[in-house]
Amino acid sequence: EPEVTQTPSHQVTQMGQEVILRCVPISNHLYFYWYRQILGQKVEFLVSFYNNEISEKSEIFDDQFSVERPDGSNFTLKIRSTKLEDSAMYFCASSEGGAGESYEQYFGPGTRLTVT
Amino acid sequence: KQEVTQIPAALSVPEGENLVLNCSFTDSAIYNLQWFRQDPGKGLTSLLLIQSSQREQTSGRLNASLDKSSGRSTLYIAASQPGDSATYLCAVWNTGNQFYFGTGTSLTVIP
């Protein structure tokens, strides 16, 4: 069964460093998403991406964050200058269609980001 | 802003029991509601999706209902098994185009 994959599974970085989290969505999916889950808290929506541009973003997704689909398979989340509070599990998800079409979102296993 | 709440926060039941997990949301302007399970340290596995026009969805031992006007959904698990032990999350896709997750219910099924 097709699945969303994410690399690395765990990333440790120092405060102020840039990190890139990578995701390979399911191949025929058109919508891509990033979420984060701070330990012990809710899963929070960050951004959705369709047709090579951001379609929606939350208040969390500020200028420190950016997303890109550099080729036909990868979807990346970049954090330019990491802060301690960016430590969280980051999940990538994809779906065939958008919310109004009511397609399920399929999630990857997550990347645990630890900022020291 | 949409608020999604799940009750109870934790639940422990003996194997074989039927159980109900609750999800409530404050803004009824939703496209759909999706139930997920999350195993410790793992990603989210989609269980069921209910479109805003639907009242319920079934998959195996799972049945999810949706009452959009009252802002409630329930997930019914029949004949619970130890393998059902996980955290169950509900999430709603708002017409404002953001996906909001609930607080989760941690389920333990005791053999």
Side-chain angles (χ1 to χ4, degrees):
Chain A
E1 186 175 326
E3 58 183 16
V4 177
T5 59
Q6 290 185 243
T7 54
S9 57
H10 191 191
Q11 173 94 46
V12 181
T13 190
Q14 288 191 327
M15 199 165 53
Q17 295 295 305
E18 174 183 286
V19 293
I20 297 176
L21 309 183
R22 290 183 167 79
C23 168
V24 178
I26 295 173
S27 62
N28 64 329
H29 286 187
L30 301 177
Y31 291 77
F32 315 114
Y33 314 87
W34 283 102
Y35 297 85
R36 77 171 187 192
Q37 186 176 32
I38 295 170
L39 190 63
Q41 297 187 23
K42 288 186 184 186
V43 177
E44 298 172 291
F45 171 82
L46 293 178
V47 66
S48 60
F49 191 86
Y50 169 70
N51 201 27
N52 278 320
E53 59 183 33
I54 291 173
S55 52
E56 202 65 40
K57 61 182 181 178
S58 71
E59 314 84 62
I60 302 167
F61 194 88
D62 61 21
D63 292 343
Q64 293 296 317
F65 292 91
S66 62
V67 289
E68 194 179 27
R69 188 149 162 85
D71 53 44
S73 59
N74 289 284
F75 179 50
T76 62
L77 174 69
K78 182 193 290 186
I79 309 175
R80 289 192 183 83
S81 178
T82 51
K83 305 174 204 151
L84 293 176
E85 54 265 36
D86 293 327
S87 294
M89 182 74 95
Y90 288 81
F91 293 107
C92 173
S94 68
S95 62
E96 280 185 72
E101 301 165 67
S102 286
Y103 286 89
E104 286 181 69
Q105 292 190 35
Y106 293 86
F107 281 69
T111 291
R112 179 164 297 286
L113 176 65
T114 302
V115 182
T116 62
Chain B
K1 184 186 169 182
Q2 178 76 271
E3 292 289 338
V4 183
T5 306
Q6 293 185 244
I7 294 172
L11 182 62
S12 185
V13 300
E15 182 176 359
E17 264 202 17
N18 303 324
L19 58 102
V20 174
L21 308 180
N22 296 292
C23 171
S24 61
F25 47 95
T26 54
D27 184 352
S28 61
I30 64 170
Y31 285 126
N32 61 55
L33 183 145
Q34 199 167 345
W35 282 93
F36 296 88
R37 74 174 272 168
Q38 184 176 28
D39 293 280
K42 301 280 179 67
L44 283 67
T45 302
S46 178
L47 297 173
L48 288 163
L49 180 145
I50 310 179
Q51 296 182 37
S52 63
S53 58
Q54 296 176 320
R55 298 284 294 185
E56 75 181 74
Q57 280 285 349
T58 299
S59 176
R61 294 183 293 110
L62 305 180
N63 176 278
S65 68
L66 174 64
D67 184 343
K68 201 174 82 151
S69 60
S70 68
R72 292 182 184 179
S73 176
T74 61
L75 179 68
Y76 174 83
I77 303 177
S80 57
Q81 303 170 357
D84 294 331
S85 298
T87 296
Y88 289 80
L89 303 174
C90 69
V92 296
W93 195 281
N94 256 44
T95 54
N97 270 329
Q98 289 200 18
F99 209 39
Y100 292 93
F101 277 83
T103 44
T105 293
S106 176
L107 172 66
T108 303
V109 180
I110 304 162

